[in-house]
């Protein structure tokens, strides 16, 4: 796409919008579009309004999109940049929509957390009655970002859960995350794990030794800052790839290093049924784990084979039976809409099967084509966006009919159809960590491979992010640096 700028240099905002509307098309910056297809995006600062106009020329036809914001809202450089990028994106989106393109489910939004925007609108409208507040908030959200009614309603429900959770959190409350970057095999859609555990088993002991050091240093900082742990989440990879003895030691280490007296929930991703054993489940129960993710992604064996999983749908059922036999766990089950070789009929079968199992949580993901995944590299065939949309419609309809409600959502780059990932719950089975992580309600202290510590300010100050390497060997080699960076936690909290 040829691009001409006038009055600004907000390249990133325009490129974000283009990647959503024209995936794979590269921007080309020119001074004159002449007779070829192009976009001319202008920004003008007026006394009352600041306005962006996009003129999109396509096949000798011209389409114009426009968006404005009051100039007195550009109170400082940060707010100026934020609002200018907002109206530039809207202008580009509206111009393209006038050319005949079907509306995007999330309109001009390109970010991961649409709920943060709607939550802010809802806070402003809290003085209204419940019905008026909802109607006004949804209307403002749709008007500002051109979000479709279905997605605006979905986002309202999850944002309501966000605001309810926010009220339960104190200023010193935090969550802990432990990343275990190993899996039995690598899924075709995944770019996270560098090698399957069968190829990197020799790294497990060294990784675990490094993790012990990071846990100890993180806990020391948490104690000094007087932080209160309310939630723990083991993610990955697949944490239950660890042996029973390693899980025992890791849980014991956390219990010994952190004050967990106010812990409200403890989640472990046991995503692969081929990693779940009665011995491991007994250990997790011993340490107070309250929630397990048993993630089939699909209940069709042919699709499981297509994505590189070495288990069957029966293995999922057997694993779930073992979890229920031990008892005391909320169960989450992840599904993915848009997997290779899947169909609408096949996805509806998966949804029906999972609903019959009555897990406390069901998370419906949309396939995201990640750059380093085997699926992307091989160019594998996947369902079209229209069919993925029908899959999500069927899932959401079935979930609501079965008594589930949405409680958190987020988006990723390169998602099929530009849709979303949504967590659903039975009444009373909310997961605090998922909301805190996605909506940035409190700090997350992360340990392990791929861990992302997020230090969150509630005074509109700058949040701090500390990333750990996601690949096991890099994590092991850099553990001294990883531990030394933990001092940033104390600096952030003024210790």
């Amino acid at each position: 796409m040829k691009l001409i700028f006038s009055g600004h240099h907000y390249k990133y905002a325009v490129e974000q919008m283009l990647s959503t509307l024209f995936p794979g098309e590269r921007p080309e910056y020119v001074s004159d579009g002449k007779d070829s297809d192009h976009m001319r995006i202008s920004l003008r600062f007026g006394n009352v309004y600041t306005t962006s106009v996009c003129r999109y020329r396509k096949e000798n036809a011209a389409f114009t999109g426009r968006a404005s914001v009051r100039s007195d809202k550009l109170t400082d450089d940060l707010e100026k940049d934020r609002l200018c990028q907002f109206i530039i994106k809207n202008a580009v989106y509206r111009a393209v929509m006038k050319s005949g393109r079907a509306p995007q489910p999330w309109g001009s939004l390109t970010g991961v957390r649409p709920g943060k925007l709607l939550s802010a609108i809802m806070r402003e409208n809290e003085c209204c009655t419940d019905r008026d507040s909802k109607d006004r908030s949804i209307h403002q959200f749709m008007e500002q970002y051109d979000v479709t009614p279905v997605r605006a309603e979905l986002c309202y429900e999850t944002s309501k859960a966000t605001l309810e959770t926010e009220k339960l959190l104190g200023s010193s409350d935090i969550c802990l995350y432990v990343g275990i970057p190993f899996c039995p095999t690598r899924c075709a859609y995944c770019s996270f794990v560098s090698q399957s555990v069968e190829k990197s088993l020799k790294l497990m002991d060294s990784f675990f030794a490094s993790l012990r050091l990071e846990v100890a240093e993180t806990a020391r900082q948490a104690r000094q800052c007087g932080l209160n742990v309310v939630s723990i989440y083991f993610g990955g990879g697949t944490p239950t790839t660890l042996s029973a003895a390693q899980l025992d030691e890791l849980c014991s280490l956390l219990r010994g290093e952190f004050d967990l007296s106010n812990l409200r929930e403890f989640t472990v991703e046991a995503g692969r049924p081929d990693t779940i054993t009665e011995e491991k489940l007994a250990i997790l129960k011993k340490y107070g784990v309250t929630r397990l993710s048993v993630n089939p992604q699909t209940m069709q064996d042919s699709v499981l084979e297509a994505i590189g999983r070495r288990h069957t749908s029966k293995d999922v059922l057997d694993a779930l039976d073992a979890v229920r036999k031990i008892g005391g766990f909320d169960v989450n089950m992840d599904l993915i809409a848009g997997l290779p070789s899947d169909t609408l009929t096949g996805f509806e079968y998966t949804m029906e099967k999972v609903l019959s199992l009555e897990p406390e949580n069901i998370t419906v993901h949309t396939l995201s084509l990640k750059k380093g995944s085997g699926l992307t590299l091989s160019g594998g065939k996947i369902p079209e966006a229209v069919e993925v949309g029908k899959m999500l419609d069927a899932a959401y309809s079935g979930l609501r009919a079965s008594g589930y409600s949405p409680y958190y959502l987020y988006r990723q780059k390169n998602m099929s159809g530009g849709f979303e990932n949504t967590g659903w719950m039975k009444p009373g089975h909310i997961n605090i960590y998922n909301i805190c992580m996605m909506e940035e309600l409190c700090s997350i202290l992360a340990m392990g491979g791929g861990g992302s510590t997020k230090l969150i300010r509630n005074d509109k100050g700058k949040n701090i992010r500390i990333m750990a390497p996601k690949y096991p060997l890099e994590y092991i080699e850099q553990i001294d640096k990883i531990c030394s960076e933990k001092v940033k936690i104390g600096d952030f909290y003024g210790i």
Side-chain angles (χ1 to χ4, degrees):
M1 177 69 68
K2 292 182 178 180
L3 301 174
I4 305 166
F5 284 5
S6 175
H8 71 99
H9 297 284
Y10 288 109
K11 290 184 178 181
Y12 183 65
V14 175
E15 289 176 3
Q16 277 189 305
M17 203 67 256
L18 289 182
S19 69
T20 298
L21 297 170
F22 305 101
E25 189 165 334
R26 298 180 65 84
E28 179 184 353
Y29 296 96
V30 298
S31 57
D32 189 344
K34 296 184 179 178
D35 295 328
S36 60
D37 292 356
H38 66 270
M39 280 186 183
R40 183 183 295 272
I41 307 108
S42 66
L43 183 66
R44 185 179 67 84
F45 297 91
N47 291 330
V48 179
Y49 287 99
T50 295
T51 301
S52 177
V53 176
C54 174
R55 291 184 173 86
Y56 172 40
R57 182 184 176 91
K58 176 188 176 186
E59 298 174 354
N60 298 319
F63 308 94
T64 300
R66 185 186 306 269
S68 299
V69 64
R70 287 189 61 89
S71 295
D72 57 13
K73 290 189 175 183
L74 311 183
T75 52
D76 54 43
D77 287 344
L78 284 175
E79 197 65 3
K80 174 187 172 184
D81 284 345
R82 186 183 72 82
L83 290 174
C84 286
Q85 290 181 71
F86 155 63
I87 62 173
I88 286 170
K89 288 180 183 179
N90 272 4
V92 171
Y93 179 80
R94 290 167 183 173
V96 174
M97 290 304 102
K98 287 182 179 179
S99 74
R101 285 284 299 275
Q104 296 288 297
W106 290 98
S108 63
L109 290 178
T110 59
V112 172
R113 302 177 179 86
K116 289 196 75 173
L117 300 172
L118 183 49
S119 293
I121 294 172
M122 291 167 67
R123 290 187 187 95
E124 293 176 357
N125 292 329
E126 278 183 338
C127 58
C128 304
T129 63
D130 287 347
R131 185 71 247 177
D132 286 345
S133 174
K134 177 179 179 180
D135 291 346
R136 181 179 296 185
S137 297
I138 289 178
H139 174 75
Q140 288 178 238
F141 188 56
M142 292 171 59
E143 185 177 59
Q144 289 182 29
Y145 302 103
D146 293 342
V147 178
T148 60
V150 171
R151 261 59 201 180
E153 179 75 29
L154 179 69
C155 195
Y156 179 85
E157 292 181 79
T158 59
S159 296
K160 190 173 181 181
T162 295
L163 297 181
E164 291 171 355
T165 301
E166 186 177 46
K167 294 174 183 177
L168 303 176
L169 296 171
S171 59
S172 63
D173 288 350
I174 62 165
C175 301
L176 300 181
Y177 175 86
V178 182
I180 308 298
F182 296 95
C183 278
T185 59
R186 179 175 171 177
C187 292
Y189 54 78
C190 181
S191 65
F192 188 83
V193 181
S194 61
Q195 290 181 309
S196 61
V197 73
E198 62 192 1
K199 295 181 179 178
S200 57
L201 189 60
K202 62 182 182 295
L203 297 175
M204 287 285 281
D205 289 343
S206 296
F207 171 82
F208 204 73
S210 298
L211 181 57
R212 291 190 201 102
L213 297 175
E214 189 183 8
V215 168
E217 182 57 29
T218 304
R220 188 176 74 83
Q221 293 290 333
R223 288 194 300 271
Q224 289 181 344
C225 298
L227 302 179
N228 179 48
V229 180
V230 296
S231 176
I232 299 174
Y233 195 102
F234 284 8
T238 306
T240 43
T241 302
L242 295 177
S243 67
Q246 287 170 329
L247 281 172
D248 195 327
E249 184 177 352
L250 178 56
C251 291
S252 177
L253 180 63
L254 289 173
R255 179 183 283 183
E257 294 284 359
F258 289 93
D259 178 2
L260 303 181
S261 57
N262 294 312
L263 190 68
R264 301 179 198 172
E265 63 178 30
F266 189 163
T267 297
V268 173
E269 287 189 359
R272 297 291 194 94
D274 41 342
T275 67
I276 298 172
T277 67
E278 290 186 8
E279 183 183 11
K280 292 178 185 179
L281 292 173
I283 288 167
L284 296 177
K285 185 173 182 179
K286 179 178 75 171
Y287 286 101
V289 171
T290 57
R291 183 174 179 268
L292 286 174
S293 284
V294 181
N295 300 333
Q297 314 303 6
T298 175
M299 294 299 286
Q300 301 173 86
D301 290 345
S302 60
V303 180
L304 287 170
E305 184 177 357
I307 63 175
R309 289 212 166 198
R310 294 183 182 173
H311 66 80
T312 65
S313 56
K314 183 180 184 303
D315 294 329
V316 174
L317 299 177
D318 291 343
L320 187 59
D321 284 344
V323 171
R324 294 303 196 194
K325 182 179 178 181
I326 293 288
F329 300 114
D330 277 3
V331 172
N332 172 73
M333 301 185 79
D334 280 5
L335 307 176
I336 300 179
L339 288 172
S341 82
D342 204 357
T343 63
L344 174 59
T345 301
F347 184 81
E348 288 176 330
Y349 167 80
T350 289
M351 197 72 235
E352 182 179 345
K353 188 68 176 177
V354 169
L355 286 171
S356 73
L357 300 172
E358 300 186 339
E360 285 72 22
N361 297 140
I362 297 176
T363 307
V364 182
H365 294 264
T366 303
L367 181 66
S368 174
L369 292 175
K370 300 171 183 175
K371 288 183 180 179
S373 69
L375 181 59
T376 302
L377 295 174
S378 67
K381 183 175 175 56
I382 58 174
E384 296 290 335
V386 172
E387 189 166 22
V388 173
K390 292 178 181 178
M391 292 177 181
L392 294 176
D393 289 344
Y396 295 174
S397 176
L399 284 159
R400 291 187 190 282
S402 299
Y404 291 83
S405 60
Y407 74 98
Y408 85 105
L409 68 80
Y410 65 102
R411 302 179 69 214
Q412 293 172 275
K413 290 183 179 179
N414 305 315
M415 296 189 84
S416 181
F419 292 107
E420 68 286 323
N421 303 322
T422 309
W424 297 73
M425 66 172 184
K426 285 186 174 182
H429 294 277
I430 202 165
N431 183 249
I432 297 171
Y433 175 87
N434 282 329
I435 295 177
C436 289
M437 167 58 84
M438 297 320 309
E439 304 303 328
E440 298 181 327
L441 296 186
C442 71
S443 292
I444 311 287
L445 304 191
M447 298 152 281
S452 174
T453 289
K454 301 171 78 173
L455 304 174
I456 305 299
R457 303 195 71 91
N458 295 316
D459 58 1
K460 294 187 178 181
K462 186 177 181 181
N463 298 334
I464 302 295
R465 193 167 185 173
I466 310 168
M467 298 292 294
K470 65 180 180 179
Y471 299 127
L473 183 59
E474 293 175 5
Y475 176 81
I476 294 163
E477 291 175 341
Q478 297 180 38
I479 190 59
D480 289 342
K481 177 177 180 290
I482 292 166
C483 288
S484 69
E485 287 192 322
K486 298 297 178 180
V487 70
K488 294 179 182 178
I489 299 171
D491 293 343
F492 182 84
Y493 284 101
I495 301 302

